[in-house]
């Protein structure tokens, strides 16, 4: 069984910073892409940022220059550094990983974390 556990959410004032972490654990053979999604009330879940096993990154335009995704492959952990936060960044942030397990070493499976609330408000 694989688990993704997020941490680092909270309440921050506009212009502030937060760093989210997501650690994957369990019977993991290897991890391909990892990413962060977010879902605000009444809106669809959207991809915020993703990173491949080789370190290539993508970002939704609204966070470019403010957010940075990174990963520590030795720790099976992905991070999201969020700077210059805006009220419109308020959402539940979800970690996602596309990975191979020892049970399924040839076919990638997709896993989600439980989500962490980020609230940007004065």
């Amino acid at each position: 069984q694989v688990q993704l556990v997020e941490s680092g959410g909270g309440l921050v004032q506009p212009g502030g910073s937060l760093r989210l972490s997501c650690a994957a654990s369990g019977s993991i053979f290897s991890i391909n892409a990892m990413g962060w999604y977010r879902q605000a009330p009444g809106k669809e879940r959207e991809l915020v940022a993703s990173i491949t096993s080789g370190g290539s990154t993508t970002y939704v335009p609204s966070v470019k220059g403010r957010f940075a995704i990174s990963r520590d492959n030795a720790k099976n952990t992905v991070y999201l550094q969020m700077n210059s936060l805006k009220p419109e960044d308020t959402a539940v942030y979800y970690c996602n990983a596309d990975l191979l397990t020892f049970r399924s070493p040839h076919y990638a499976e997709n896993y989600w974390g439980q989500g962490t609330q980020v609230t940007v408000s004065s």
Side-chain angles (χ1 to χ4, degrees), residues 22-42:
C22 171
S25 62
S27 184
I28 298 170
F29 182 71
S30 67
I31 302 178
N32 299 329
M34 302 186 80
W36 288 96
Y37 288 72
R38 66 186 179 187
Q39 187 166 21

Side-chain angles (χ1 to χ4, degrees), residues 102-114:
F102 287 104
R103 178 176 59 89
S104 177
H106 303 293
Y107 297 97
E109 298 175 333
N110 194 259
Y111 289 85
W112 291 91
Q114 81 283 357

Side-chain angles (χ1 to χ4, degrees), residues 17-20 66-70 79-83:
S17 298
L18 283 175
R19 188 192 194 209
L20 305 182
R66 300 189 297 122
F67 291 10
I69 189 171
S70 60
Y79 305 96
L80 186 68
Q81 178 65 44
M82 303 186 294
N83 300 324

Side-chain angles (χ1 to χ4, degrees), residues 31-35 50-53 71 96-99 110:
I31 302 178
N32 299 329
M34 302 186 80
S50 66
I51 184 168
T52 68
S53 57
R71 63 191 282 175
N96 180 271
D98 195 60
L99 54 85
N110 194 259

Side-chain angles (χ1 to χ4, degrees), residues 4-20:
L4 302 182
V5 179
E6 299 123 333
S7 61
L11 172 65
V12 64
Q13 293 186 340
S17 298
L18 283 175
R19 188 192 194 209
L20 305 182

